[in-house]
């Protein structure tokens, strides 16, 4: 609104105001990218180069900021051999370190599509269980606050689940008390 008032004071034409509004809103937005093979070969090559440069920049930032060794091996149809980052010797030394590890440690965090989906499903199931427990607790709280618990409604299942939740929380608190009494530092949680 303030910019339109400025335009009115300076007596710009309506077409100039519309053009400025158009370019201001268009320049701030990014185009939505559909992830599929780019059919035009020259566009695909330019996109590959830009994204490869961005990826290598991120790896470099990661190594600098976190002090971690990292490397990249990129095969493409645009070069005969692989591109190695940062250099051949560094890549060789990191691959040697990886190959010296036991197979279990080498593959500990590697996932294929099936493993990734299974992990996502497990995480979603855990989240669902937490939400169910929270909902049960909220229902019990509402029932207790409205005195519905004294009516003829059978609440034994909900009460048993609430007792189970309380027992779990009580065990966690008792374990934490023992740890603190043993001399462990107290950790504040946000």
């Amino acid at each position: 609104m303030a910019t339109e008032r400025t335009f009115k004071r300076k007596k710009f034409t309506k077409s100039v105001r519309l053009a400025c509004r158009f370019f201001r809103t268009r320049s701030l937005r990014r185009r939505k990218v559909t992830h599929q093979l780019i059919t035009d070969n020259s566009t695909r090559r330019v996109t590959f180069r830009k994204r490869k440069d961005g990826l290598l920049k991120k790896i470099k930032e990661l190594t600098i900021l976190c002090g971690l060794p990292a490397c990249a091996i990129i095969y493409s149809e645009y070069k005969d051999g692989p591109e190695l980052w940062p250099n051949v010797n560094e890549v060789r030394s990191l691959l040697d370190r990886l190959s010296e590890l036991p197979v279990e440690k080498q593959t500990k965090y590697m996932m294929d599509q099936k493993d990734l989906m299974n992990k996502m499903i497990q995480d979603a199931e855990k989240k669902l269980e937490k939400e169910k427990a929270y909902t049960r607790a909220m229902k019990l709280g509402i029932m207790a606050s409205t005195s519905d618990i004294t009516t003829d409604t059978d609440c034994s299942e909900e009460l048993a689940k609430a007792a189970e939740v309380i027992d779990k929380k009580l065990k966690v608190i008792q374990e934490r008390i023992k740890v603190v009494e043993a001399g462990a530092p107290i950790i504040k949680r946000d």
Side-chain angles (χ1 to χ4, degrees):
M1 291 294 183
T3 55
E4 285 192 26
R5 285 187 205 136
T6 307
F7 285 130
K8 287 178 184 174
R9 273 189 236 137
K10 293 182 180 180
K11 297 185 179 180
F12 282 103
T13 62
K14 186 176 182 180
S15 59
V16 171
R17 280 185 279 156
L18 289 175
C20 289
R21 183 184 298 162
F22 174 78
F23 287 116
R24 185 174 58 242
T25 57
R26 293 289 176 197
S27 63
L28 297 178
R29 289 189 217 157
R30 283 190 170 176
R31 287 185 299 160
K32 186 173 182 177
V33 177
T34 56
H35 292 277
Q36 62 187 13
L37 181 66
I38 300 171
T39 54
D40 183 32
N41 200 19
S42 63
T43 306
R44 184 172 50 228
R45 180 178 296 162
V46 169
T47 302
F48 168 76
R49 184 183 49 79
K50 286 181 179 179
R51 291 198 175 228
K52 179 193 70 157
D53 291 345
L55 177 66
L56 295 179
K57 181 180 175 184
K58 290 290 181 190
I59 294 172
K60 181 180 178 183
E61 290 171 357
L62 181 68
T63 58
I64 292 170
L65 295 174
C66 299
L68 301 172
C71 68
I73 303 171
I74 301 174
Y75 284 93
S76 72
E77 61 187 43
Y78 308 114
K79 291 204 174 184
D80 293 334
E83 290 184 62
L84 304 173
W85 184 90
N87 57 43
V88 177
N89 296 331
E90 186 72 23
V91 171
R92 235 184 230 129
S93 68
L94 286 173
L95 289 177
D96 289 342
R97 276 182 59 188
L98 178 66
S99 64
E100 289 171 2
L101 292 173
V103 176
E104 298 85 31
K105 284 194 175 186
Q106 286 182 21
T107 59
K108 183 176 181 179
Y109 298 108
M110 290 184 189
M111 288 188 206
D112 58 4
Q113 192 71 24
K114 182 181 173 185
D115 294 336
L116 179 65
M117 291 304 292
N118 286 336
K119 185 178 182 321
M120 290 173 66
I121 290 170
Q122 288 174 352
D123 292 346
E125 287 173 347
K126 286 179 185 176
K127 188 175 181 181
L128 178 63
E129 284 302 316
K130 284 183 180 180
E131 289 296 324
K132 283 181 180 179
Y134 177 76
T135 304
R136 282 193 298 268
M138 292 301 293
K139 283 182 182 178
L140 283 173
I142 291 171
M143 287 171 49
S145 67
T146 59
S147 301
D148 283 347
I149 206 161
T150 59
T151 61
D152 296 334
T153 313
D154 182 25
C155 301
S156 59
E157 185 178 327
E158 285 86 4
L159 289 172
K161 289 178 182 175
E164 183 180 320
V165 169
I166 291 170
D167 286 341
K168 285 181 182 177
K169 291 194 180 270
L170 187 60
K171 283 182 182 178
V172 169
I173 291 169
Q174 289 172 342
E175 289 173 5
R176 185 65 188 146
I177 289 171
K178 287 179 184 177
V179 169
V180 169
E181 286 177 346
I186 298 175
I187 301 171
K188 291 185 180 181
R189 293 185 181 166
D190 294 332

